Structure formats: C-alpha cells, structure tokens
Amino acid sequence: IFMAEMSFEQLWADVVPVPQVDAPDAVVKIAYSKEFTNLMDLFRAVQKKEEYSERVLELIEELLELNAGNYTVWLYRRNCLKKLKLDLNEELDYLDGFSKENPKNYQIWHHRRTIVEWLGNGDRELAFCESVFEVDAKNYHAWAHRQWALQTYNLWDKELAFIEKCLKTDIRNNSAWNQRWFYVHSGPEAQSIEVLNREVAYCVDSLVQVTLNESAWNYLRGLYKTHHQELHEIIRTKVEEMVESSNRKNPFALGLLADICEYTGNQLLTAGPNEATQAVQELREASKICVELVSLDQIRAKSWTRRVRALNLRADSVVVEAA
Amino acid sequence: FRSTLNDSGEADVRFLYCACAISAALDDWSSVDTDAAVRYIQQCVTYEGGIAVVPDGEATGGSCYCAIAALRLMNRLDALSAENLQDLVQWCEARQVNGYQGRTNKDPDSCYSFWVGATLHMLQSFQYTDLPSTQSFLLTQCQGSVHSGGFSKLPDCYPDVLHTFYSICWLSFAEFEGLKSIDPTFAICAEKSALLK
C-alpha cells in the first residue's frame, strides 16, 4: 500500500541507472523506446547490486510486457521467486494469463517448465495445454510441454482418449497423430501384437473414411518400417486393397506400396542368393509403381523419375550377380 | 566436453545448429561434443522420416534444416543411414504443395521454401524439386503489393524481413536471375562463406 502511494520515480530514486554498453560503432543499432531504455537501465542497476524485492518484481513485469522474449529478465525473475520464496502456484496463474497473449514465446514455456519442476507436480499442465490447443490445435510448444509433463509426472491415464478426441475434431491434425505414436511407443503400453494390430486397424479405418489424409498414411508407413516383422503382411494386404479400391489413383497408397516393395526387395537381397529372383521382382514392382506416380504426383515427377532409375539400377545389378 | 545445451534456457536442435555454426566459423570445436550432438540428432528422427525439434516431437522443416546443416558442419552425415536419408528426402519432398509446408497437413509458408529447400539442397536433391510451383507461390502469392515489396509468410499477410530473406534464398537456389549464390549451411552468400573455410 505504501509503495502504491509513491510514484515510480520516487520508488527508484535511490538507484543509479546503468546504461547499456553498446559497441562504439554498432552496425545495427536498435531504436529502443525511451521507456524501455529507462526500465532496462534500472534493471541493469538491480542486477549489479543483486537486489531481489517486490519493486524488482514489478519492474520485471513491466519489462516483460515490453519484451516477453528477454531471457535475461526471465532468469532474474526466477532468482526473485526463489529468494523471496514466492508462491509458485500464483506464478503459474500469472503464466496462464501471460501465455495466452504469447502462445509461441519460447521463454515463457521454458519458465513454466522450471516452475513446474520446482513445484514437483504437473497436475495443472495437461489442462493448461488443452486450453492452448483450443486456440491452436497444433501449437508445437504445447505438444512438447505436454509430452514432457506426461513423462515426468506419469500422467498417462487419460491420454489416449484425449488424442482420439483431437483426431475426432480434426483427423488431419498431424500433431495429434505424432502424439499417438509417442503414446504407443513411450507411454504405459507395451508394443504387444494386440496393441500394434489395434494401431493398424485404427489407421486403416481412418483411411477408409478419409482416403487422402497424409498424416494417417505416414503413421501407417511408420508402423510398417518400425514393426515390419510383426506387421508387414497385414499392412501390405491393406495397402494393396486401398490401391485397388482407389483404382490405382491414390498417390499415398501407391507411394506406400512402392516403399513396401522396395523395403521387401532390399531385405531379400540381404537374405542370400536364393532370394535374389524374388528380390528383383519386388524392386521392379516398386519401380513400376513409381512410373505411375510420375504422372499421378506431378509436382514430384522428377523425384519419382530418379527413384525409378535407382530401383532399376539396383534390380539390374542383382541380375548380373546371380548370372 | 560439455554437450550442446543452452545453459539457462531450453535445449533443442536449434542451439545445436548455432553451436556448430559458431564452432565452424571460428574453426574451434572445443565446446562441442560432436558424438553427443550426433546422438541427439538421431533421437530427433521421427516415424514420418523427418526430424523434430526435440526427441519425440513432430517433424518440422526448421528442425530438419538445423539437424542436417549441423551434421554437414560436423562432417557427420554418416550419422544417418542411407535409408534414413532417403526417408528424410522423401519427407522433405512431400512438404511441397505449391510452396512448402513446415509440417504434414499444414498450410505452406514462404520461409519453409528455405528450411526444406535448403535441406534438400544440402542432400543433393534440390534439382529434383518442382521450381515453377514454388516460384509462383512466392512471387505471386507472397509478395507484398499493397505497400512495398518484400515477402510475407502467407498470401494476403504483411511482409517481413525474415520471410523476405528466406524467400530470396529459395529464389537463389532456383537460380533466379540477378541473385548471388547462397551457401545453404550458413544461409549467407557463397562467396562470403568461402572466407570462413
């Protein structure tokens, strides 16, 4: 109350401001506002005398309003919080509000993470991330923060349901698909054959409804490459079905089938000379599909052409060896 | 050796690149544990074939650039297998819709022409991309016409220095007339980066 009666100048009358030390012939001089300069001059003085107090906190808040990216000020704020033993939940309240205005500010997210670590519990974090997703369902910081909170505080319980809710809202939300992968591979479930089959089924069901969803196709390819031993038959079957049902017009389905043929061919090559003929068959099949994609996916025509050439070269070299 | 981290801030692939760029410019690698850096990058490869900002994150064009440029500077492209590299090139090529998107199923943004285009350039694959579609996206959709020139992030947005710079970098890769050659690893003129070597 006493402080509120004083003007800002009176409050800081005892402090000698410290100007910024700029190089004498600085190449790109920033045109700071007078207000910013005055406040930063005070801040530098505060840093010098290592003062941690209420008035410093107020100063910091002003500075962060002017530039939320000032990581030196954020660091000093953390020091204040520690020295003054301030309530960390209130700090989270402050951050809840501040992040809404600056949802993509790296410093605020990092600061929040530190506060949560000091608190030692992440109870508020999932709900906080959800509030950010309401505005931007793909906010990278929020997803990274969520992953960190889930792992650090073991909050996995309702995560799969949350992911499915996100995907129901927008089946093309690639961040949600990425989160699903994270949940399955880093979460509480073991990657049993039941879980893997469930993932394939989820993916395929989704693709049957929305055939050109690149996120789902990438997920399916990921499943194939990471778990090919358990899943190569079922995925290959499903992909071939989707190639046919699209009359060989779905570029994603064809692309994945080409990947599968190439992958299989390469695997067979390492298996030994007995498999050479089949290996070549697979590589040639992959090449044929890529030829189709030259016309079907024209923006990548040069890339598909290059791939055709590479696959043919590989297949040719095998035949020479076998002879 | 210390590993590549930002001491009082967040740690991710961006700073790894910064550390490598600075070390390369000064020809002093004593502050970078290149093995740890390489391992970190490998952990950032995602199921989509691209590279994320942090392990387990979503693959984005920006982090692909940081990772590949860093590997180039460290001379450690061997960190990624031939299969990894093919997947990465495929992921990058798939980002082209007319301009480039930064992540799967997002709108194209002019600066990703650089982040993704430069990554492809560093992997000797830029020549397989479609030039007219991105050129058209940049020149007709993103160029500021109301006030001044410059390039914006998206069509019908205000232009800014960052998007202008990166759009011009892509145009340089595409050998647009009147532009000097750009070194993708440092995003500066090739003639200047030669001085760093």
Side-chain angles (χ1 to χ4, degrees), chain A residues 101-271:
Chain A
E101 303 160 30
N102 299 279
K104 298 194 180 179
N105 174 304
Y106 282 94
Q107 290 70 41
I108 299 180
W109 285 99
H110 174 76
H111 183 81
R112 189 186 182 96
R113 190 179 289 209
T114 310
I115 303 305
V116 172
E117 282 174 340
W118 289 353
L119 268 171
N121 93 67
D123 290 347
R124 291 168 67 151
E125 300 317 291
L126 298 187
F128 174 69
C129 289
E130 215 174 318
S131 72
V132 177
F133 295 140
E134 270 160 36
V135 177
D136 175 5
K138 302 182 185 184
N139 184 314
Y140 202 93
H141 305 267
W143 283 109
H145 187 81
R146 193 181 180 88
Q147 288 186 340
W148 168 79
L150 285 165
Q151 275 189 313
T152 310
Y153 302 102
N154 246 298
L155 303 168
W156 299 102
D157 209 47
K158 303 193 180 79
E159 189 62 5
L160 188 57
F162 175 73
I163 294 168
E164 298 201 338
K165 189 176 83 163
C166 290
L167 289 172
K168 201 149 184 239
T169 306
D170 177 8
I171 195 62
R172 294 176 183 82
N173 184 337
N174 201 64
S175 306
W177 281 100
N178 186 75
Q179 187 75 349
R180 192 180 178 107
W181 185 274
F182 171 70
Y183 175 83
V184 168
H185 293 85
S186 304
E189 300 180 335
Q191 289 104 64
S192 63
I193 190 65
E194 290 79 28
V195 166
L196 294 177
N197 281 332
R198 177 196 73 198
E199 292 304 295
V200 173
Y202 182 86
C203 214
V204 170
D205 284 347
S206 169
L207 284 168
V208 163
Q209 292 171 59
V210 183
T211 59
L212 297 175
N213 180 3
E214 192 170 355
S215 295
W217 283 110
N218 287 354
Y219 196 84
L220 193 59
R221 185 199 289 109
L223 288 173
Y224 180 82
K225 289 206 149 190
T226 311
H227 307 284
H228 66 276
Q229 216 158 29
E230 303 96 315
L231 298 178
H232 78 273
E233 268 171 41
I234 178 72
I235 293 184
R236 183 166 190 156
T237 306
K238 292 294 177 188
V239 174
E240 282 169 348
E241 276 171 25
M242 287 188 276
V243 164
E244 286 321 302
S245 64
S246 76
N247 277 320
R248 302 191 75 85
K249 291 271 177 272
N250 185 326
F252 299 115
L254 285 163
L256 181 49
L257 188 55
D259 286 345
I260 290 173
C261 292
E262 180 173 3
Y263 190 90
T264 308
N266 290 338
Q267 289 285 101
L268 288 169
L269 282 180
T270 63

Side-chain angles (χ1 to χ4, degrees), chain A residues 78 106 110 138 140 147 172 174-175 178 181 213-215 218 225 259 262 299-300 302-303 306, chain B residues 8-10 14 48 53 56-58 60 83 86-87 93 95-96 103-105 125 128-130:
Chain A
R78 286 193 281 283
Y106 282 94
H110 174 76
K138 302 182 185 184
Y140 202 93
Q147 288 186 340
R172 294 176 183 82
N174 201 64
S175 306
N178 186 75
W181 185 274
N213 180 3
E214 192 170 355
S215 295
N218 287 354
K225 289 206 149 190
D259 286 345
E262 180 173 3
I299 202 171
R300 279 163 278 279
K302 288 194 229 168
S303 169
R306 173 207 216 183
Chain B
S8 55
E10 67 279 15
R14 298 171 300 147
E48 286 193 279
V53 180
D56 299 322
E58 196 183 348
T60 91
E83 189 185 335
Q86 181 171 325
D87 288 343
E93 289 173 342
R95 301 286 65 71
Q96 188 178 27
R103 300 180 250 169
T104 308
N105 274 330
S125 299
Y128 302 104
T129 63
D130 184 274

